[in-house]
Structure formats: C-alpha cells, structure tokens
Amino acid sequence: MASIRKIAEDLGERFTSAWSLLNSTTKFLEKTPDFAAHENDLRGWRLRLQSGRNNPDALRVVHDELVDLRRHLRAEGYDLSLVDRNLLVQGFRNDSCLAEGFRRLVLVFVKNESVYFMTGDDNHLVIGALLEAALEKGGVYNIADRHYLWYRWNAGTLILSGADTEDRDDFRRFEALAARNPMKLLSRLKGLA
C-alpha cells in the first residue's frame, strides 16, 4: 500500500506546476519548526521562478528540486497532503463531550518514535489495554509514553483534549510534544476518522 501511495504522490507532483508545488510546500513548512531551515531555499526558488518564467529548463530544474525536498520531508515523517489541516490541543474534557461529537483516543509512543493509536467506545483504560495487547502481539514493546485523549475533527482542525484518565503532568508533556511539531504529530494521526 505504501508503494502505491508513493507512486501516486510522485505522479501527482510530476504533473503539478512548480508554482503550485512551491506554494503548497511553503504553506506546509510554515506550520513546522523546519521552516527556518528551508526559508532561504523557498525564497530562492520563488525568485528563480519569477525570473525564469519564460525559460522551461529553469522551471523544470526548480520543479525537480521541489519534488526532491518534498520526498525528503515525507521521509522525515511529514504528510504533505495535510497542508490545509491543523492540530489544536485544548485542555481537558470529560464524558459529557460525547454530546459535542468527541471520541475516545489512546495514543502510545514507543522509543523509536513510532506512534500507535486506537479509538473506541469503551472507556480509555479498556481501549489502552486493547491497544497494548495488540502491540505486544505484533512484537512492539518499549512503550515510552501513553496518553488518554478525546478527539474531534472540526472542519480542517483535529482537536485533542485530555481525558479524566490522563494525568495532568502527562498531558503537559503531550502538549509540549504537540507544540514542538504539530504537523509531524498530525501526519502520524492522519488515519483518525
């Protein structure tokens, strides 16, 4: 499945104009801590596109360089298709938030920085136990951190809130992690429906 997705991304980028790739990549990177590292490149590409608008070879070179950057960003764990999505971590909620459309979520971070999650209608502790049992069965151990959260999509924003089961210090640690790189965490949670 990952190879089909990679082929689709590569084909999509091949037929996307350099200007569109530049604008989309810039918009995405502006939401990450990696923007500063790429800001000069983005500015340079913009200038090269403006000055070479009648030079197909110059446009192709910039296009290819942008495609390479996007491949690199995907290898770093970013999902660039989420350019119009956002992540918001918003305090604590209790079971009454079910009426607002929130659902239960348990997140597990393992020591290699992988993220696993499970949602469900059972209480958070039951969902957490089911997730950990599934991870053990799959040979995943080394759990570094776990979080009991509520989640809801509101338009293009994923809202995450702590549950009563979540320890306040654990939630502060989660807030800090999410604030450091919300787009990387959002990329890992893309499958949340």
Side-chain angles (χ1 to χ4, degrees):
M1 182 84 124
S3 61
I4 292 172
R5 182 174 164 204
K6 182 185 178 323
I7 291 168
E9 288 168 345
D10 287 347
L11 280 174
E13 288 175 353
R14 183 174 297 160
F15 296 109
T16 302
S17 76
W19 276 110
S20 293
L21 285 178
L22 177 61
N23 291 333
S24 175
T25 305
T26 301
K27 186 176 176 184
F28 186 90
L29 281 170
E30 286 173 341
K31 298 178 182 184
T32 74
D34 297 322
F35 178 71
H38 298 286
E39 186 173 11
N40 287 336
D41 292 332
L42 295 165
R43 190 176 296 120
W45 286 321
R46 189 168 302 284
L47 288 172
R48 286 167 52 196
L49 286 174
Q50 288 169 342
S51 64
R53 73 182 68 141
N54 295 325
N55 181 344
D57 290 333
L59 295 175
R60 184 183 43 73
V61 168
V62 171
H63 182 276
D64 291 347
E65 290 172 0
L66 282 162
V67 168
D68 287 343
L69 172 61
R70 292 171 67 87
R71 279 189 192 125
H72 169 75
L73 292 170
R74 282 193 293 274
E76 293 293 313
Y78 288 116
D79 185 332
L80 282 82
S81 71
L82 300 173
V83 64
D84 292 321
R85 301 285 178 127
N86 296 298
L87 178 75
L88 175 63
V89 178
Q90 195 176 59
F92 277 83
R93 298 182 190 277
N94 59 34
D95 287 359
S96 67
C97 72
L98 286 165
E100 300 170 41
F102 281 87
R103 299 193 58 214
R104 289 177 178 89
L105 165 69
V106 177
L107 285 179
V108 170
F109 294 87
V110 295
K111 295 200 177 182
N112 69 358
E113 297 187 18
S114 294
V115 177
Y116 297 92
F117 63 88
M118 184 177 281
T119 65
D121 295 324
D122 289 316
N123 73 50
H124 283 91
L125 292 176
V126 171
I127 296 169
L130 290 170
L131 176 56
E132 289 186 32
L135 292 175
E136 282 182 25
K137 185 176 180 180
V140 177
Y141 304 99
N142 300 325
I143 292 175
D145 213 356
R146 70 183 50 77
H147 297 280
Y148 304 98
L149 306 168
W150 292 101
Y151 81 96
R152 179 181 82 160
W153 282 100
N154 183 12
T157 300
L158 175 61
I159 302 170
L160 297 174
S161 298
D164 290 338
T165 310
E166 178 81 355
D167 180 81
R168 297 234 178 239
D169 289 335
D170 291 343
F171 187 68
R172 281 191 206 95
R173 195 170 56 253
F174 175 75
E175 281 180 308
L177 180 141
R180 275 193 301 275
N181 201 335
M183 293 309 288
K184 190 162 278 187
L185 180 58
L186 185 60
S187 295
R188 292 173 172 173
L189 299 176
K190 180 183 179 180
L192 276 178

